[in-house]
Amino acid sequence: MRYSHLFAKTSKNAPADAETINARLLQQAGFVDQLMAGVYSYLPLGLRVLRNIEQIVREEMNTLGAEEVLMPTLHPKANWEKTGGWDSIDVLFKIESRTGNDYALGQSEEEIVTPLVLSRAQSYKQFPLAVYQIHWKYRDELRAKSGIMRGREFFMKDMYSFHTSQEDFDRFYKEAKQAYLKIFKRLGLVAKVTEASGGAFTTKVSYEFMVLTDAGEDDILYCDECDYCVNVEIAKTKEGDTCPCGKGPLKSARASEVGNVFDLGKKYGENFDLAYTDEAGERQYPIMGCYGIGVSRVMGVIVEKYNDEKGILWPKSVAPMTVHLVSLNSKDASKQTTIDDEAKKLYEELQKKGIEVFFDDRDGVSPGAKFADADLIGIPLRIVISEKSLDKGGAEWKERSSAEASIVSLDEVMGSVEKFIQS
Ligand code: ATP
Ligand code: MG
């Protein structure tokens, strides 16, 4: 990708209404564009990050044995009436058609997935099973001020599992929890797991996956000596209390919920009166679980965790590109030809090897402006080809997370990049 061709460039000024770091940096760096409060377009670089996050989630869901589907976001009212959600869910967007029919926009998909799966899986032999999708969700949120962390339209991975026994559900629930921890680790996030009551869904216990950040909207209590973690909203303990483990004092912190898993029990099978036939030939409602990850929220949380005064520092696993290649202008025409040739050669070689490279090939832009953009955009590795670097024997190598720059000979650059990717 050549910066000179990119339509969505960085902006010199921070957006006036950005209240959080992710809102400011993602807009200024040209990753997202705000259409209205809580609704964003993902621009070329931003979409690459979103896709990388999505892919990590997808890989771990597939490893768990879940099957990917894509369900509609436009839902008939009847499905939402069956579960009571039409009247009870305050964030549900409702639409009336010109022919007088009512629809809901999907804020979660139990109402769709339950009939979809249970009209096909009618024998105990087909269970357990799990399906998931990665798709838009719509919620009429009252406040949408945390950038992409709270959208009215946002990207979510939602998985639903179906089981014939509580034991089997418990087994899968634990496996899903482990898969979630693996996902957040791969994304560069440390997620604390709270145990919480399932709220509107059920009286059963659920887990919330929380990442500590001031831009979050939850308050949690946690212990440094063990895994104890609870949402303050429901906690019987308070800050400074001794943890139930008997060691640490409980600390409080602001956090963002990046995912959760719920035990739905038999509610949805019952609501739709859809059952399977067990070994004895009896009708049974399956035990269901639902498992969400806020894919677009995660992108915002990563920015909240990985930034400095100059911009974003993407973890390699989700970075929009691996290499930010910069060529600089020279006043000497023959030197300029060499710079352009060497930079173009490296650009093509990297691409041939399948290494994602962002090439700032803009003519007439100062080194300072190009470096400021590189820092703002936050690609993990910057390689500069300039008169100065060539005089010193090659290309300038600088990692975004380090203040040091060094010179790597042009012969060694490719090998060094490959090593950097592996490290
Ligand atoms: P919250 O308490 O933050 O509103 P929730 O309990 O309503 O979250 P779920 O309905 O379980 O969340 O959705 C699954 C995941 O989707 C959440 O864990 C969160 O990461 C993400 N999410 C929920 N609401 C939003 C939103 N408005 N914008 C972006 N992500 C969201
Ligand atoms: Mg909510």
Side-chain angles (χ1 to χ4, degrees):
M1 185 186 279
R2 283 173 181 269
Y3 197 171
S4 57
H5 294 188
L6 189 70
F7 87 91
K9 294 193 167 44
T10 61
S11 152
K12 276 209 185 74
N13 306 313
D17 56 351
E19 292 184 16
T20 47
I21 295 172
N22 80 89
R24 175 168 64 79
L25 290 178
L26 288 171
Q27 289 181 81
Q28 208 181 332
F31 283 75
V32 303
D33 177 85
Q34 191 185 48
L35 179 64
M36 54 183 165
V39 181
Y40 292 85
S41 295
Y42 286 77
L43 303 172
L45 290 174
L47 183 59
R48 294 179 75 94
V49 176
L50 194 71
R51 293 285 181 241
N52 289 341
I53 297 170
E54 186 184 322
Q55 187 53 25
I56 288 173
V57 173
R58 176 175 288 115
E59 283 168 19
E60 298 302 332
M61 291 298 101
N62 290 346
T63 302
L64 195 58
E67 295 171 46
E68 186 170 6
V69 295
L70 187 59
M71 294 181 279
T73 48
L74 189 62
H75 301 170
K77 178 183 183 182
N79 290 45
W80 285 90
E81 282 185 316
K82 281 225 161 72
T83 61
W86 184 264
D87 292 315
S88 66
I89 297 181
D90 51 4
V91 295
L92 191 66
F93 271 115
K94 298 167 183 173
I95 296 174
E96 192 187 328
S97 78
R98 57 181 162 163
T99 51
N101 290 316
D102 288 321
Y103 301 89
L105 292 182
Q107 62 89 34
S108 185
E109 304 258 333
E110 285 81 357
E111 277 73 4
I112 308 306
V113 80
T114 305
L116 179 76
V117 168
L118 295 183
S119 62
R120 286 170 176 75
Q122 295 180 334
S123 157
Y124 70 93
K125 289 179 189 158
Q126 289 166 276
F127 295 82
L129 66 92
V131 298
Y132 75 98
Q133 65 173 352
I134 304 174
H135 204 198
W136 293 111
K137 292 284 176 289
Y138 298 86
R139 291 188 187 180
D140 192 0
E141 304 278 6
L142 285 182
R143 295 184 317 114
K145 289 184 176 172
S146 324
I148 60 168
M149 288 169 61
R150 182 166 298 281
R152 295 203 167 95
E153 175 178 78
F154 61 98
F155 226 48
M156 195 207 279
K157 184 283 299 177
D158 45 325
M159 177 172 76
Y160 307 88
S161 71
F162 300 77
H163 308 268
T164 57
S165 70
Q166 193 63 41
E167 296 73 57
D168 188 57
F169 172 80
D170 292 344
R171 168 199 61 81
F172 187 80
Y173 199 58
K174 278 198 201 103
E175 287 176 18
K177 184 178 164 189
Q178 291 312 315
Y180 268 39
L181 290 173
K182 196 161 167 207
I183 287 168
F184 295 123
K185 194 166 173 209
R186 287 182 66 185
L187 293 171
L189 298 175
V190 178
K192 295 192 175 291
V193 188
T194 69
E195 245 183 65
S197 113
F201 289 93
T202 166
T203 52
K204 294 189 171 110
V205 159
S206 67
Y207 297 116
E208 294 169 340
F209 295 75
M210 295 285 187
V211 175
L212 300 191
T213 163
D214 288 341
E217 296 179 43
D218 288 86
D219 290 301
I220 59 165
L221 291 171
Y222 67 98
C223 170
D224 280 333
E225 303 294 327
C226 72
D227 288 337
Y228 183 83
C229 184
V230 287
N231 199 316
V232 166
E233 250 177 44
I234 51 133
K236 293 190 184 76
T237 45
K238 59 179 190 313
E239 187 176 14
D241 284 0
T242 304
C243 175
C245 77
K247 292 185 194 154
L250 292 180
K251 293 184 175 173
S252 78
R254 205 78 171 137
S256 176
E257 183 191 311
V258 286
N260 58 32
V261 303
F262 279 116
D263 177 350
L264 299 174
K266 296 184 178 176
K267 170 180 163 53
Y268 288 91
E270 284 168 1
N271 284 165
F272 283 90
D273 191 25
L274 287 168
Y276 66 91
T277 311
D278 71 9
E279 270 177 85
E282 305 278 326
R283 283 185 94 237
Q284 301 286 354
Y285 297 119
I287 294 167
M288 284 174 60
C290 74
Y291 314 77
I293 290 185
V295 173
S296 49
R297 176 177 291 181
V298 160
M299 180 168 158
V301 171
I302 291 172
V303 175
E304 295 290 334
K305 302 297 280 187
Y306 291 93
N307 69 77
D308 62 16
E309 67 289 350
K310 293 176 179 164
I312 308 170
L313 290 83
W314 292 109
K316 267 190 254 178
S317 62
V318 301
M321 298 272 176
T322 306
V323 179
H324 191 122
L325 176 64
V326 178
S327 64
L328 296 182
N329 286 133
S330 165
K331 287 193 187 98
D332 179 326
S334 80
K335 283 187 176 160
Q336 186 66 58
T337 309
T338 316
I339 292 169
D340 291 345
D341 289 350
E342 290 298 345
K344 185 161 172 267
K345 206 169 104 196
L346 185 55
Y347 180 56
E348 284 166 2
E349 269 179 50
L350 286 164
Q351 284 181 313
K352 242 183 253 156
K353 289 263 183 187
I355 296 166
E356 294 170 333
V357 50
F358 185 67
F359 183 15
D360 190 347
D361 59 338
R362 288 173 298 169
D363 198 22
V365 176
S366 74
K370 287 194 173 187
F371 295 163
D373 273 346
D375 284 340
L376 178 61
I377 291 169
I379 291 169
L381 173 62
R382 188 185 83 189
I383 297 176
V384 181
I385 300 199
S386 66
E387 193 177 327
K388 204 164 108 191
S389 80
L390 290 174
D391 284 350
K392 286 189 186 163
E396 187 203 69
W397 174 287
K398 187 186 164 297
E399 294 172 23
R400 179 65 181 87
S401 58
S402 151
E404 312 295 319
S406 58
I407 295 292
V408 180
S409 79
L410 294 174
D411 296 341
E412 285 168 26
V413 170
M414 281 304 298
S416 300
V417 171
E418 283 172 340
K419 257 191 233 145
F420 175 78
I421 292 170
Q422 304 302 325
S423 70

